Amino acid sequence: SSELTQDPAVSVALGQTVRITCQGESFRSYYASWYQQKPGQAPVLVIHGKNSRPSGIPDRFSGSRSGNTASLTITGAQAEDEADYYCKSRDSSGNHYVFGIGTKVTVL
Amino acid sequence: QVQLQQSGPGLVKPSRTLSLTCAISGDSVSSNSVTWNWIRQSPSRGLEWLGRTYYRSKWYNDYAPSVESRITINPDTFKNQFSLQLTSVTLDDTAVYYCARISVAADDSFDIWGQGTLVTVSS
């Protein structure tokens, strides 16, 4: 079983806000990074560190952390945001990486 | 910009060795500010980090406990690439395999990914 817990699926109306959460004790020490994956494609980094976006990622994507929970928020979801989203952190040893099971975001 | 190009067979027989290569352009396998990783994805396991190689005055490797006894990741400084070898494969090793970079500048995140290689273990 994964050390990171994500809800399997969430839906959001077009233009509305959705928050995707990821729970894990590692977040008390490390920031999450978040990845967007569309069918047949490799994952793409959307959020890293405290709340940083790589070049080309829209500013409607933001990240936060509180206690053992990391969150990815999409403010004003667009149709192209429909995808699977994965969180990533380190395992309990701190030497390896682990991913959440992914949250499928559906934009209605 | 940095790109990773994967190559290797898509079909491996059970008990044989899976071998993949990741060619790097726009960066150096010997860079002191990155690590080079292999990750796989399957419906049963989700995204699974397998291991990494990196250079910090000398070469280091770290491997996931789930594959530690079967995996080797090697850098090739002449060809500016790195490779994955996974021995004694079973049907459970069928997955899409990705190479990916972690950059210090990206807060310990996988900021560049290869295109993925579907590897099927079948006789």
Side-chain angles (χ1 to χ4, degrees):
Chain A
S1 63
S2 175
E3 297 182 32
L4 302 179
T5 302
Q6 291 185 251
D7 290 331
V10 64
S11 61
V12 58
L14 184 68
Q16 296 304 300
T17 296
V18 62
R19 188 172 76 168
I20 305 159
T21 60
C22 182
Q23 288 188 306
E25 288 302 305
S26 63
F27 296 130
R28 299 188 189 278
S29 304
Y30 303 102
Y31 286 110
S33 52
W34 290 91
Y35 303 85
Q36 176 193 70
Q37 187 178 34
K38 297 181 179 179
Q41 299 181 17
V44 173
L45 178 66
V46 294
I47 290 289
H48 62 90
K50 189 174 183 180
N51 183 21
S52 297
R53 285 174 288 105
S55 174
I57 301 300
D59 61 4
R60 63 179 178 272
F61 289 91
S62 62
S64 62
R65 179 183 71 172
S66 178
N68 72 337
T69 300
S71 301
L72 172 70
T73 300
I74 308 174
T75 303
Q78 302 299 303
E80 61 264 31
D81 300 334
E82 190 163 285
D84 294 327
Y85 291 84
Y86 296 89
C87 56
K88 188 276 287 174
S89 184
R90 288 185 180 247
D91 72 357
S92 55
S93 75
N95 295 323
H96 309 125
Y97 299 100
V98 290
F99 291 89
I101 63 168
T103 297
K104 182 176 182 58
V105 172
T106 300
V107 180
L108 304 173
Chain B
Q1 73 278 24
V2 180
Q3 291 186 316
L4 303 178
Q5 181 66 40
Q6 299 176 218
S7 60
L11 181 63
V12 181
K13 294 184 185 301
S15 79
R16 300 290 182 90
T17 297
L18 180 161
S19 297
L20 296 173
T21 299
C22 184
I24 303 163
S25 58
D27 201 347
S28 170
V29 71
S30 304
S31 170
N32 277 293
S33 60
V34 301
T35 68
W36 303 102
N37 300 260
W38 286 99
I39 295 160
R40 68 182 177 183
Q41 184 175 30
S42 65
S44 60
R45 293 176 173 269
L47 283 167
E48 180 184 18
W49 176 80
L50 299 176
R52 64 181 177 177
T53 189
Y54 59 101
Y55 186 75
R56 301 288 186 270
S57 302
K58 68 175 186 178
W59 288 101
Y60 294 87
N61 289 295
D62 292 305
Y63 299 128
S66 61
V67 295
E68 190 168 24
S69 62
R70 300 191 292 132
I71 189 173
T72 303
I73 296 176
N74 282 323
D76 183 337
T77 58
F78 295 103
K79 295 184 177 180
N80 200 33
Q81 62 186 29
F82 63 107
S83 63
L84 167 70
Q85 288 196 310
L86 190 65
T87 63
S88 305
V89 298
T90 69
L91 301 183
D92 195 43
D93 293 311
T94 294
V96 177
Y97 286 75
Y98 295 99
C99 57
R101 183 186 81 166
I102 280 188
S103 169
V104 168
D107 298 310
D108 200 34
S109 301
F110 299 106
D111 63 341
I112 306 293
W113 294 67
Q115 80 274 25
T117 302
L118 173 60
V119 178
T120 302
V121 178
S122 174
S123 54

